[in-house]
Each structure stands twice: as structure tokens, then as C-alpha cells.
Amino acid sequence: MKSYLSTALPIAALLIMPTVAEAQGSVTLYGLIDTGITYVSNAGGKSNVVANDGIIQPSRFGFRGSEEIGGGTRVIFTLENGFSLNTGAFSQSGLIFGRQAFVGLANSGWGALTMGRQYDFVWDYITLFSMGSRIGAFGFHPGDYDHLGGSLRINNAVKYAVEPFGGLSLGLLYAFGGQPASASNGRAVAAGARYTGGIFSVAAAYNNVHDMPLNPSAQIGTSLGPSFPRGLFVANNLQNIELAASVTAGPSSTRALFTDTTIDAPGTSVTMRSYEVSEVYQFTPALAFSAGYSFTRMSIAIWRNTSAVLDYSLSKRTDVYVSAAYQNASGGAHAAFLTVPASSNGHETAVRIGMRTFF
């Protein structure tokens, strides 16, 4: 009973918050739901058709608040939960606000300073250039070790972001780490920059995270190398250096990105590099087609991923889509889409039909 109340009471309090805050105009309830049917050709050695959710985007709901305190400055906060539509379970290891949980101050002149569990600048500035931002889990790179898929949420983080002039965004983040029993990652440093113009856009991001738990055999279908521990282990350091750019002309947007990920353990190190190109073409305001190709190398292991998605908007908030992805792995690696068990060989195909709605 005590365990039930400790979970139920905070949720009940949050559910009445929008009503209380509505008069103050300070809290917004938001979220999205994604669900569909997926065929996978070789998930852990067998083909399967499954009803699954959160593939093109993980399902979530959250509360976003703002309060003016004078001088153009406001208090802001975000509390965001991830969940499974098909089971009702919380995502992110059962955390009630596992996606984001932060509070801070913001000003249109000097930017925003926030504290809590937060995303890095790969997610803020680079992901939107990726094929994964269009097709979801089946378009991101093996294991999401470059964190384009948003798997890195940094605890105990202080984050500063500013837009000094039109089109330019800059950011810095420092995380103090935490006790091993309560933190999913240790001390972290992150930085990023993005410029968005009418035709040309470019972005860069850097991460350095200590004490990162990894399980390569499950996440990327192979080990990191003979000098690394087998199975689940904690990497001393994981570093990301990432660059992206796009050119937009009328209905066409051509994007390219590069990610460099270095993983360190006692006495050994390995680097994973990914190269990606993709195209987004907006046929009509409601109909868009996206296709992309990525090449990832880690030592002798290579993954090649080809994917495409056709998306049709039924309204401003709801769309339906059909997607397909094919991954080929060599050099001892197995194919490994995110959210799907690694294949029993170097080949994997995933075809999906789904729908998504925002609120």
C-alpha cells in the first residue's frame, strides 16, 4: 500500500495541476502517441509481426510551465514522462519523469539556465538533421552510441542555452554526476552550436560522459573488441563529436551528418564513426517522403542502413505513415535496429505501418 501511494499521489497531484494553473496561464499539458504494426525479418533469429508503439517517436506526456517574474525574465520548468501505449508501463527504467525533469530561469536577451535531468546538444541541435528524426528507431545508428536517438538523458545537469542573434543557437552543459545507486551516468560536459538560415543550416555538438553503462552484445550485436569486458559494463568515458548540415530548396531538403564516438575502458579504447545522407521531399503540405543511407564502422565491424518513410498528415495533429528499413552488417557484427533484438546474422529488414497524434 505504501508503494502504491508513493506513486499514485504524485500523479494525482500533477493531473489537477493544469486545472489550477489554467487561471494563471502558466502550465501546459502536452504529449504524443505513436503506435502501429511492424514486420521484422530476423529478431533474435526469427521473423515476427508485432504490435508496438513508440517507434517513429516514443510516446510521452509532459507538463511545461512558465511564470513571469519581471524584467523580461521568467521561471520555466518541464516534467516529461515516457510510456508504452500497449502496456501502460513507464519507460526509462520506470522513472515517473524519465525523459526530462528540470527547472530554471529564461530571458529573451541572455538565454536560459536550467537544472535537472536534461538532454544534451546532440539531441537539441544534431538529431533534426538525421534520418532517425523522420523514420524513428529504425533509422538511428547502432546502439545509439552517438545519442542521436535521445537515449542520453543527463542527471544532475546545469545547462545554459542562448540565441545571441537570429538563426544562431549556442549551449553549454555540465553535470556533477551522482551516487552510483541513483545516477545513470557520471560527470558530463557538453557543448553545441547551430545556425539555421533560409537555405543552409549547420550544427556541431560535443559530449564527454563518464561512467556510462553499456551492453554491446545486446545493443549493437557484437562486442567492442577483445580487450573490453563481455556483457554489461560501465565505460570510463564516452565522447561524441558530431557535425551536420542541410540545404533546403523549395520542397527539397538534403541533409548530411557525421558522428565520431570514442569509448574508453581501463587499458583500451575503440572508436565508432557514422556517415549519413538523407533527403526529405514535401510533395504537398500533407504528404512527405524521406529516404536515407548511413554507414557505420567500428574497427572491422560495419553496419549499412537504408531506410525510407512516406508520411501523410490527416490533420495538424495526426498523421499516418509507412516505413521500411534494411540493415546489413559485416566484420563479425549482427544487424541491430534500436528497440528490436539483434539479428542472428548480418541482415535485418523492418517494415511498419503506423499512426501518430500530438496533443
PDB file of all heavy atoms in Angstrom, residues 134-170:
ATOM      1  N   ARG A 134      13.031  11.322 -38.906  1.00  0.00           N
ATOM      2  CA  ARG A 134      11.881  11.123 -39.794  1.00  0.00           C
ATOM      3  C   ARG A 134      11.271   9.730 -39.651  1.00  0.00           C
ATOM      4  O   ARG A 134      10.055   9.587 -39.605  1.00  0.00           O
ATOM      5  CB  ARG A 134      12.315  11.323 -41.255  1.00  0.00           C
ATOM      6  CG  ARG A 134      13.001  12.634 -41.542  1.00  0.00           C
ATOM      7  CD  ARG A 134      12.092  13.823 -41.395  1.00  0.00           C
ATOM      8  NE  ARG A 134      10.975  13.784 -42.318  1.00  0.00           N
ATOM      9  CZ  ARG A 134      10.098  14.779 -42.493  1.00  0.00           C
ATOM     10  NH1 ARG A 134      10.213  15.892 -41.776  1.00  0.00           N
ATOM     11  NH2 ARG A 134       9.110  14.677 -43.348  1.00  0.00           N
ATOM     12  N   ILE A 135      12.135   8.700 -39.555  1.00  0.00           N
ATOM     13  CA  ILE A 135      11.639   7.325 -39.517  1.00  0.00           C
ATOM     14  C   ILE A 135      11.650   6.740 -38.119  1.00  0.00           C
ATOM     15  O   ILE A 135      11.023   5.735 -37.844  1.00  0.00           O
ATOM     16  CB  ILE A 135      12.458   6.431 -40.470  1.00  0.00           C
ATOM     17  CG1 ILE A 135      11.747   5.099 -40.720  1.00  0.00           C
ATOM     18  CG2 ILE A 135      13.867   6.204 -39.954  1.00  0.00           C
ATOM     19  CD1 ILE A 135      12.431   4.222 -41.738  1.00  0.00           C
ATOM     20  N   GLY A 136      12.405   7.347 -37.210  1.00  0.00           N
ATOM     21  CA  GLY A 136      12.442   6.875 -35.837  1.00  0.00           C
ATOM     22  C   GLY A 136      13.511   5.831 -35.578  1.00  0.00           C
ATOM     23  O   GLY A 136      14.595   5.864 -36.165  1.00  0.00           O
ATOM     24  N   ALA A 137      13.193   4.855 -34.719  1.00  0.00           N
ATOM     25  CA  ALA A 137      14.187   3.915 -34.183  1.00  0.00           C
ATOM     26  C   ALA A 137      14.946   3.169 -35.262  1.00  0.00           C
ATOM     27  O   ALA A 137      16.143   2.881 -35.102  1.00  0.00           O
ATOM     28  CB  ALA A 137      13.500   2.925 -33.244  1.00  0.00           C
ATOM     29  N   PHE A 138      14.304   2.827 -36.385  1.00  0.00           N
ATOM     30  CA  PHE A 138      14.953   2.017 -37.404  1.00  0.00           C
ATOM     31  C   PHE A 138      15.931   2.823 -38.267  1.00  0.00           C
ATOM     32  O   PHE A 138      16.616   2.255 -39.111  1.00  0.00           O
ATOM     33  CB  PHE A 138      13.911   1.340 -38.296  1.00  0.00           C
ATOM     34  CG  PHE A 138      12.940   0.473 -37.527  1.00  0.00           C
ATOM     35  CD1 PHE A 138      11.627   0.342 -37.941  1.00  0.00           C
ATOM     36  CD2 PHE A 138      13.352  -0.207 -36.387  1.00  0.00           C
ATOM     37  CE1 PHE A 138      10.733  -0.461 -37.237  1.00  0.00           C
ATOM     38  CE2 PHE A 138      12.465  -1.005 -35.665  1.00  0.00           C
ATOM     39  CZ  PHE A 138      11.146  -1.133 -36.101  1.00  0.00           C
ATOM     40  N   GLY A 139      15.993   4.134 -38.058  1.00  0.00           N
ATOM     41  CA  GLY A 139      16.899   4.964 -38.838  1.00  0.00           C
ATOM     42  C   GLY A 139      18.115   5.449 -38.077  1.00  0.00           C
ATOM     43  O   GLY A 139      19.026   6.041 -38.673  1.00  0.00           O
ATOM     44  N   PHE A 140      18.165   5.214 -36.755  1.00  0.00           N
ATOM     45  CA  PHE A 140      19.319   5.656 -35.970  1.00  0.00           C
ATOM     46  C   PHE A 140      20.457   4.646 -36.073  1.00  0.00           C
ATOM     47  O   PHE A 140      20.278   3.527 -36.558  1.00  0.00           O
ATOM     48  CB  PHE A 140      18.907   5.881 -34.510  1.00  0.00           C
ATOM     49  CG  PHE A 140      18.014   7.068 -34.309  1.00  0.00           C
ATOM     50  CD1 PHE A 140      16.725   6.923 -33.793  1.00  0.00           C
ATOM     51  CD2 PHE A 140      18.455   8.335 -34.641  1.00  0.00           C
ATOM     52  CE1 PHE A 140      15.902   8.024 -33.616  1.00  0.00           C
ATOM     53  CE2 PHE A 140      17.633   9.450 -34.470  1.00  0.00           C
ATOM     54  CZ  PHE A 140      16.352   9.295 -33.956  1.00  0.00           C
ATOM     55  N   HIS A 141      21.632   5.036 -35.593  1.00  0.00           N
ATOM     56  CA  HIS A 141      22.837   4.229 -35.754  1.00  0.00           C
ATOM     57  C   HIS A 141      22.960   3.179 -34.655  1.00  0.00           C
ATOM     58  O   HIS A 141      22.302   3.297 -33.602  1.00  0.00           O
ATOM     59  CB  HIS A 141      24.061   5.149 -35.787  1.00  0.00           C
ATOM     60  CG  HIS A 141      23.958   6.222 -36.822  1.00  0.00           C
ATOM     61  ND1 HIS A 141      24.541   7.464 -36.689  1.00  0.00           N
ATOM     62  CD2 HIS A 141      23.300   6.245 -38.018  1.00  0.00           C
ATOM     63  CE1 HIS A 141      24.268   8.198 -37.753  1.00  0.00           C
ATOM     64  NE2 HIS A 141      23.517   7.482 -38.571  1.00  0.00           N
ATOM     65  N   PRO A 142      23.778   2.137 -34.840  1.00  0.00           N
ATOM     66  CA  PRO A 142      23.832   1.013 -33.900  1.00  0.00           C
ATOM     67  C   PRO A 142      24.027   1.430 -32.442  1.00  0.00           C
ATOM     68  O   PRO A 142      24.929   2.201 -32.109  1.00  0.00           O
ATOM     69  CB  PRO A 142      25.038   0.205 -34.404  1.00  0.00           C
ATOM     70  CG  PRO A 142      25.090   0.496 -35.865  1.00  0.00           C
ATOM     71  CD  PRO A 142      24.686   1.936 -35.986  1.00  0.00           C
ATOM     72  N   GLY A 143      23.138   0.922 -31.586  1.00  0.00           N
ATOM     73  CA  GLY A 143      23.248   1.157 -30.158  1.00  0.00           C
ATOM     74  C   GLY A 143      22.935   2.561 -29.698  1.00  0.00           C
ATOM     75  O   GLY A 143      22.922   2.841 -28.499  1.00  0.00           O
ATOM     76  N   ASP A 144      22.679   3.470 -30.644  1.00  0.00           N
ATOM     77  CA  ASP A 144      22.522   4.901 -30.344  1.00  0.00           C
ATOM     78  C   ASP A 144      23.689   5.419 -29.499  1.00  0.00           C
ATOM     79  O   ASP A 144      23.513   6.272 -28.635  1.00  0.00           O
ATOM     80  CB  ASP A 144      21.197   5.182 -29.634  1.00  0.00           C
ATOM     81  CG  ASP A 144      20.816   6.671 -29.684  1.00  0.00           C
ATOM     82  OD1 ASP A 144      21.130   7.324 -30.697  1.00  0.00           O
ATOM     83  OD2 ASP A 144      20.233   7.170 -28.714  1.00  0.00           O
ATOM     84  N   TYR A 145      24.911   4.915 -29.775  1.00  0.00           N
ATOM     85  CA  TYR A 145      26.078   5.368 -29.026  1.00  0.00           C
ATOM     86  C   TYR A 145      26.444   6.813 -29.356  1.00  0.00           C
ATOM     87  O   TYR A 145      27.146   7.464 -28.578  1.00  0.00           O
ATOM     88  CB  TYR A 145      27.273   4.446 -29.294  1.00  0.00           C
ATOM     89  CG  TYR A 145      27.160   3.090 -28.623  1.00  0.00           C
ATOM     90  CD1 TYR A 145      28.066   2.083 -28.891  1.00  0.00           C
ATOM     91  CD2 TYR A 145      26.128   2.810 -27.718  1.00  0.00           C
ATOM     92  CE1 TYR A 145      27.975   0.837 -28.281  1.00  0.00           C
ATOM     93  CE2 TYR A 145      26.010   1.581 -27.108  1.00  0.00           C
ATOM     94  CZ  TYR A 145      26.940   0.583 -27.399  1.00  0.00           C
ATOM     95  OH  TYR A 145      26.841  -0.643 -26.790  1.00  0.00           O
ATOM     96  N   ASP A 146      25.971   7.308 -30.508  1.00  0.00           N
ATOM     97  CA  ASP A 146      26.167   8.734 -30.795  1.00  0.00           C
ATOM     98  C   ASP A 146      24.998   9.580 -30.302  1.00  0.00           C
ATOM     99  O   ASP A 146      24.979  10.796 -30.477  1.00  0.00           O
ATOM    100  CB  ASP A 146      26.414   8.981 -32.286  1.00  0.00           C
ATOM    101  CG  ASP A 146      25.352   8.361 -33.187  1.00  0.00           C
ATOM    102  OD1 ASP A 146      24.273   7.984 -32.682  1.00  0.00           O
ATOM    103  OD2 ASP A 146      25.605   8.244 -34.402  1.00  0.00           O
ATOM    104  N   HIS A 147      23.988   8.933 -29.713  1.00  0.00           N
ATOM    105  CA  HIS A 147      22.897   9.593 -28.973  1.00  0.00           C
ATOM    106  C   HIS A 147      21.985  10.454 -29.839  1.00  0.00           C
ATOM    107  O   HIS A 147      21.272  11.315 -29.327  1.00  0.00           O
ATOM    108  CB  HIS A 147      23.468  10.420 -27.819  1.00  0.00           C
ATOM    109  CG  HIS A 147      24.246   9.596 -26.848  1.00  0.00           C
ATOM    110  ND1 HIS A 147      25.539   9.888 -26.467  1.00  0.00           N
ATOM    111  CD2 HIS A 147      23.924   8.442 -26.206  1.00  0.00           C
ATOM    112  CE1 HIS A 147      25.980   8.966 -25.633  1.00  0.00           C
ATOM    113  NE2 HIS A 147      25.028   8.073 -25.456  1.00  0.00           N
ATOM    114  N   LEU A 148      21.960  10.199 -31.144  1.00  0.00           N
ATOM    115  CA  LEU A 148      21.002  10.897 -31.998  1.00  0.00           C
ATOM    116  C   LEU A 148      19.564  10.531 -31.630  1.00  0.00           C
ATOM    117  O   LEU A 148      18.644  11.327 -31.824  1.00  0.00           O
ATOM    118  CB  LEU A 148      21.271  10.556 -33.462  1.00  0.00           C
ATOM    119  CG  LEU A 148      22.558  11.111 -34.069  1.00  0.00           C
ATOM    120  CD1 LEU A 148      22.821  10.465 -35.423  1.00  0.00           C
ATOM    121  CD2 LEU A 148      22.484  12.619 -34.209  1.00  0.00           C
ATOM    122  N   GLY A 149      19.376   9.322 -31.107  1.00  0.00           N
ATOM    123  CA  GLY A 149      18.039   8.860 -30.752  1.00  0.00           C
ATOM    124  C   GLY A 149      17.541   9.345 -29.409  1.00  0.00           C
ATOM    125  O   GLY A 149      16.452   8.965 -28.978  1.00  0.00           O
ATOM    126  N   GLY A 150      18.326  10.170 -28.722  1.00  0.00           N
ATOM    127  CA  GLY A 150      17.871  10.739 -27.454  1.00  0.00           C
ATOM    128  C   GLY A 150      17.998   9.814 -26.261  1.00  0.00           C
ATOM    129  O   GLY A 150      17.377  10.050 -25.219  1.00  0.00           O
ATOM    130  N   SER A 151      18.818   8.753 -26.372  1.00  0.00           N
ATOM    131  CA  SER A 151      18.961   7.830 -25.243  1.00  0.00           C
ATOM    132  C   SER A 151      19.793   8.422 -24.106  1.00  0.00           C
ATOM    133  O   SER A 151      19.753   7.902 -22.987  1.00  0.00           O
ATOM    134  CB  SER A 151      19.606   6.518 -25.706  1.00  0.00           C
ATOM    135  OG  SER A 151      20.893   6.745 -26.261  1.00  0.00           O
ATOM    136  N   LEU A 152      20.534   9.494 -24.368  1.00  0.00           N
ATOM    137  CA  LEU A 152      21.329  10.117 -23.312  1.00  0.00           C
ATOM    138  C   LEU A 152      20.525  11.234 -22.652  1.00  0.00           C
ATOM    139  O   LEU A 152      20.282  12.285 -23.242  1.00  0.00           O
ATOM    140  CB  LEU A 152      22.633  10.684 -23.881  1.00  0.00           C
ATOM    141  CG  LEU A 152      23.541  11.375 -22.862  1.00  0.00           C
ATOM    142  CD1 LEU A 152      23.991  10.394 -21.781  1.00  0.00           C
ATOM    143  CD2 LEU A 152      24.754  12.004 -23.539  1.00  0.00           C
ATOM    144  N   ARG A 153      20.126  10.972 -21.416  1.00  0.00           N
ATOM    145  CA  ARG A 153      19.485  11.993 -20.589  1.00  0.00           C
ATOM    146  C   ARG A 153      20.377  12.168 -19.378  1.00  0.00           C
ATOM    147  O   ARG A 153      20.619  11.218 -18.649  1.00  0.00           O
ATOM    148  CB  ARG A 153      18.067  11.576 -20.219  1.00  0.00           C
ATOM    149  CG  ARG A 153      17.190  11.348 -21.444  1.00  0.00           C
ATOM    150  CD  ARG A 153      15.863  10.715 -21.080  1.00  0.00           C
ATOM    151  NE  ARG A 153      15.052  10.518 -22.269  1.00  0.00           N
ATOM    152  CZ  ARG A 153      15.040   9.404 -22.986  1.00  0.00           C
ATOM    153  NH1 ARG A 153      15.794   8.383 -22.627  1.00  0.00           N
ATOM    154  NH2 ARG A 153      14.282   9.300 -24.068  1.00  0.00           N
ATOM    155  N   ILE A 154      20.859  13.367 -19.162  1.00  0.00           N
ATOM    156  CA  ILE A 154      21.943  13.588 -18.213  1.00  0.00           C
ATOM    157  C   ILE A 154      21.390  14.073 -16.883  1.00  0.00           C
ATOM    158  O   ILE A 154      20.737  15.123 -16.811  1.00  0.00           O
ATOM    159  CB  ILE A 154      22.958  14.595 -18.791  1.00  0.00           C
ATOM    160  CG1 ILE A 154      23.479  14.093 -20.146  1.00  0.00           C
ATOM    161  CG2 ILE A 154      24.121  14.790 -17.829  1.00  0.00           C
ATOM    162  CD1 ILE A 154      24.404  15.059 -20.853  1.00  0.00           C
ATOM    163  N   ASN A 155      21.669  13.300 -15.839  1.00  0.00           N
ATOM    164  CA  ASN A 155      21.223  13.662 -14.491  1.00  0.00           C
ATOM    165  C   ASN A 155      22.100  14.756 -13.892  1.00  0.00           C
ATOM    166  O   ASN A 155      23.256  14.938 -14.288  1.00  0.00           O
ATOM    167  CB  ASN A 155      21.270  12.443 -13.571  1.00  0.00           C
ATOM    168  CG  ASN A 155      20.257  11.382 -13.945  1.00  0.00           C
ATOM    169  OD1 ASN A 155      19.238  11.671 -14.559  1.00  0.00           O
ATOM    170  ND2 ASN A 155      20.540  10.147 -13.589  1.00  0.00           N
ATOM    171  N   ASN A 156      21.546  15.464 -12.917  1.00  0.00           N
ATOM    172  CA  ASN A 156      22.306  16.452 -12.128  1.00  0.00           C
ATOM    173  C   ASN A 156      22.983  17.495 -13.006  1.00  0.00           C
ATOM    174  O   ASN A 156      24.114  17.909 -12.742  1.00  0.00           O
ATOM    175  CB  ASN A 156      23.361  15.736 -11.269  1.00  0.00           C
ATOM    176  CG  ASN A 156      22.789  14.567 -10.501  1.00  0.00           C
ATOM    177  OD1 ASN A 156      21.832  14.722  -9.757  1.00  0.00           O
ATOM    178  ND2 ASN A 156      23.353  13.391 -10.693  1.00  0.00           N
ATOM    179  N   ALA A 157      22.300  17.923 -14.075  1.00  0.00           N
ATOM    180  CA  ALA A 157      22.912  18.780 -15.084  1.00  0.00           C
ATOM    181  C   ALA A 157      22.512  20.248 -14.920  1.00  0.00           C
ATOM    182  O   ALA A 157      21.354  20.559 -14.643  1.00  0.00           O
ATOM    183  CB  ALA A 157      22.535  18.302 -16.478  1.00  0.00           C
ATOM    184  N   VAL A 158      23.492  21.128 -15.130  1.00  0.00           N
ATOM    185  CA  VAL A 158      23.258  22.566 -15.249  1.00  0.00           C
ATOM    186  C   VAL A 158      23.486  22.918 -16.718  1.00  0.00           C
ATOM    187  O   VAL A 158      24.564  22.650 -17.263  1.00  0.00           O
ATOM    188  CB  VAL A 158      24.199  23.374 -14.350  1.00  0.00           C
ATOM    189  CG1 VAL A 158      23.961  24.869 -14.553  1.00  0.00           C
ATOM    190  CG2 VAL A 158      24.006  22.991 -12.887  1.00  0.00           C
ATOM    191  N   LYS A 159      22.485  23.523 -17.353  1.00  0.00           N
ATOM    192  CA  LYS A 159      22.518  23.747 -18.801  1.00  0.00           C
ATOM    193  C   LYS A 159      22.235  25.205 -19.111  1.00  0.00           C
ATOM    194  O   LYS A 159      21.298  25.797 -18.569  1.00  0.00           O
ATOM    195  CB  LYS A 159      21.467  22.849 -19.463  1.00  0.00           C
ATOM    196  CG  LYS A 159      21.420  22.894 -20.980  1.00  0.00           C
ATOM    197  CD  LYS A 159      20.389  21.876 -21.473  1.00  0.00           C
ATOM    198  CE  LYS A 159      20.300  21.811 -22.987  1.00  0.00           C
ATOM    199  NZ  LYS A 159      19.303  20.801 -23.433  1.00  0.00           N
ATOM    200  N   TYR A 160      23.045  25.774 -20.012  1.00  0.00           N
ATOM    201  CA  TYR A 160      22.841  27.158 -20.442  1.00  0.00           C
ATOM    202  C   TYR A 160      22.719  27.183 -21.959  1.00  0.00           C
ATOM    203  O   TYR A 160      23.568  26.629 -22.676  1.00  0.00           O
ATOM    204  CB  TYR A 160      24.005  28.043 -20.004  1.00  0.00           C
ATOM    205  CG  TYR A 160      23.894  29.462 -20.508  1.00  0.00           C
ATOM    206  CD1 TYR A 160      22.893  30.317 -20.039  1.00  0.00           C
ATOM    207  CD2 TYR A 160      24.778  29.957 -21.466  1.00  0.00           C
ATOM    208  CE1 TYR A 160      22.774  31.613 -20.509  1.00  0.00           C
ATOM    209  CE2 TYR A 160      24.677  31.257 -21.940  1.00  0.00           C
ATOM    210  CZ  TYR A 160      23.665  32.075 -21.459  1.00  0.00           C
ATOM    211  OH  TYR A 160      23.553  33.370 -21.933  1.00  0.00           O
ATOM    212  N   ALA A 161      21.681  27.820 -22.467  1.00  0.00           N
ATOM    213  CA  ALA A 161      21.460  27.944 -23.908  1.00  0.00           C
ATOM    214  C   ALA A 161      21.033  29.369 -24.226  1.00  0.00           C
ATOM    215  O   ALA A 161      20.268  29.983 -23.475  1.00  0.00           O
ATOM    216  CB  ALA A 161      20.395  26.963 -24.381  1.00  0.00           C
ATOM    217  N   VAL A 162      21.527  29.888 -25.349  1.00  0.00           N
ATOM    218  CA  VAL A 162      21.245  31.273 -25.723  1.00  0.00           C
ATOM    219  C   VAL A 162      21.164  31.385 -27.232  1.00  0.00           C
ATOM    220  O   VAL A 162      21.805  30.612 -27.967  1.00  0.00           O
ATOM    221  CB  VAL A 162      22.341  32.219 -25.159  1.00  0.00           C
ATOM    222  CG1 VAL A 162      23.704  31.921 -25.784  1.00  0.00           C
ATOM    223  CG2 VAL A 162      21.957  33.677 -25.345  1.00  0.00           C
ATOM    224  N   GLU A 163      20.371  32.322 -27.702  1.00  0.00           N
ATOM    225  CA  GLU A 163      20.288  32.663 -29.124  1.00  0.00           C
ATOM    226  C   GLU A 163      20.731  34.117 -29.267  1.00  0.00           C
ATOM    227  O   GLU A 163      19.906  35.037 -29.194  1.00  0.00           O
ATOM    228  CB  GLU A 163      18.879  32.453 -29.647  1.00  0.00           C
ATOM    229  CG  GLU A 163      18.420  31.006 -29.569  1.00  0.00           C
ATOM    230  CD  GLU A 163      17.016  30.787 -30.088  1.00  0.00           C
ATOM    231  OE1 GLU A 163      16.399  31.771 -30.568  1.00  0.00           O
ATOM    232  OE2 GLU A 163      16.526  29.651 -30.024  1.00  0.00           O
ATOM    233  N   PRO A 164      22.037  34.364 -29.475  1.00  0.00           N
ATOM    234  CA  PRO A 164      22.562  35.737 -29.457  1.00  0.00           C
ATOM    235  C   PRO A 164      22.049  36.611 -30.592  1.00  0.00           C
ATOM    236  O   PRO A 164      21.938  37.826 -30.437  1.00  0.00           O
ATOM    237  CB  PRO A 164      24.075  35.539 -29.538  1.00  0.00           C
ATOM    238  CG  PRO A 164      24.258  34.182 -30.129  1.00  0.00           C
ATOM    239  CD  PRO A 164      23.109  33.365 -29.664  1.00  0.00           C
ATOM    240  N   PHE A 165      21.759  36.009 -31.737  1.00  0.00           N
ATOM    241  CA  PHE A 165      21.115  36.747 -32.827  1.00  0.00           C
ATOM    242  C   PHE A 165      20.404  35.757 -33.726  1.00  0.00           C
ATOM    243  O   PHE A 165      20.538  34.539 -33.582  1.00  0.00           O
ATOM    244  CB  PHE A 165      22.124  37.591 -33.618  1.00  0.00           C
ATOM    245  CG  PHE A 165      23.282  36.825 -34.201  1.00  0.00           C
ATOM    246  CD1 PHE A 165      23.173  36.153 -35.405  1.00  0.00           C
ATOM    247  CD2 PHE A 165      24.494  36.789 -33.527  1.00  0.00           C
ATOM    248  CE1 PHE A 165      24.237  35.461 -35.937  1.00  0.00           C
ATOM    249  CE2 PHE A 165      25.578  36.101 -34.057  1.00  0.00           C
ATOM    250  CZ  PHE A 165      25.449  35.432 -35.267  1.00  0.00           C
ATOM    251  N   GLY A 166      19.626  36.261 -34.655  1.00  0.00           N
ATOM    252  CA  GLY A 166      18.753  35.439 -35.470  1.00  0.00           C
ATOM    253  C   GLY A 166      19.430  34.255 -36.117  1.00  0.00           C
ATOM    254  O   GLY A 166      20.414  34.413 -36.835  1.00  0.00           O
ATOM    255  N   GLY A 167      18.903  33.068 -35.868  1.00  0.00           N
ATOM    256  CA  GLY A 167      19.393  31.865 -36.509  1.00  0.00           C
ATOM    257  C   GLY A 167      20.493  31.137 -35.773  1.00  0.00           C
ATOM    258  O   GLY A 167      20.753  29.967 -36.059  1.00  0.00           O
ATOM    259  N   LEU A 168      21.182  31.781 -34.827  1.00  0.00           N
ATOM    260  CA  LEU A 168      22.297  31.159 -34.119  1.00  0.00           C
ATOM    261  C   LEU A 168      21.884  30.722 -32.720  1.00  0.00           C
ATOM    262  O   LEU A 168      21.319  31.506 -31.957  1.00  0.00           O
ATOM    263  CB  LEU A 168      23.474  32.121 -34.016  1.00  0.00           C
ATOM    264  CG  LEU A 168      24.717  31.586 -33.280  1.00  0.00           C
ATOM    265  CD1 LEU A 168      25.324  30.420 -34.043  1.00  0.00           C
ATOM    266  CD2 LEU A 168      25.748  32.685 -33.063  1.00  0.00           C
ATOM    267  N   SER A 169      22.188  29.470 -32.371  1.00  0.00           N
ATOM    268  CA  SER A 169      21.937  28.932 -31.034  1.00  0.00           C
ATOM    269  C   SER A 169      23.240  28.373 -30.477  1.00  0.00           C
ATOM    270  O   SER A 169      23.984  27.694 -31.195  1.00  0.00           O
ATOM    271  CB  SER A 169      20.891  27.814 -31.083  1.00  0.00           C
ATOM    272  OG  SER A 169      19.670  28.275 -31.601  1.00  0.00           O
ATOM    273  N   LEU A 170      23.513  28.651 -29.197  1.00  0.00           N
ATOM    274  CA  LEU A 170      24.729  28.174 -28.538  1.00  0.00           C
ATOM    275  C   LEU A 170      24.349  27.565 -27.195  1.00  0.00           C
ATOM    276  O   LEU A 170      23.383  28.009 -26.556  1.00  0.00           O
ATOM    277  CB  LEU A 170      25.718  29.323 -28.312  1.00  0.00           C
ATOM    278  CG  LEU A 170      26.194  30.102 -29.533  1.00  0.00           C
ATOM    279  CD1 LEU A 170      26.990  31.331 -29.094  1.00  0.00           C
ATOM    280  CD2 LEU A 170      27.027  29.218 -30.446  1.00  0.00           C
TER     281      LEU A 170
END
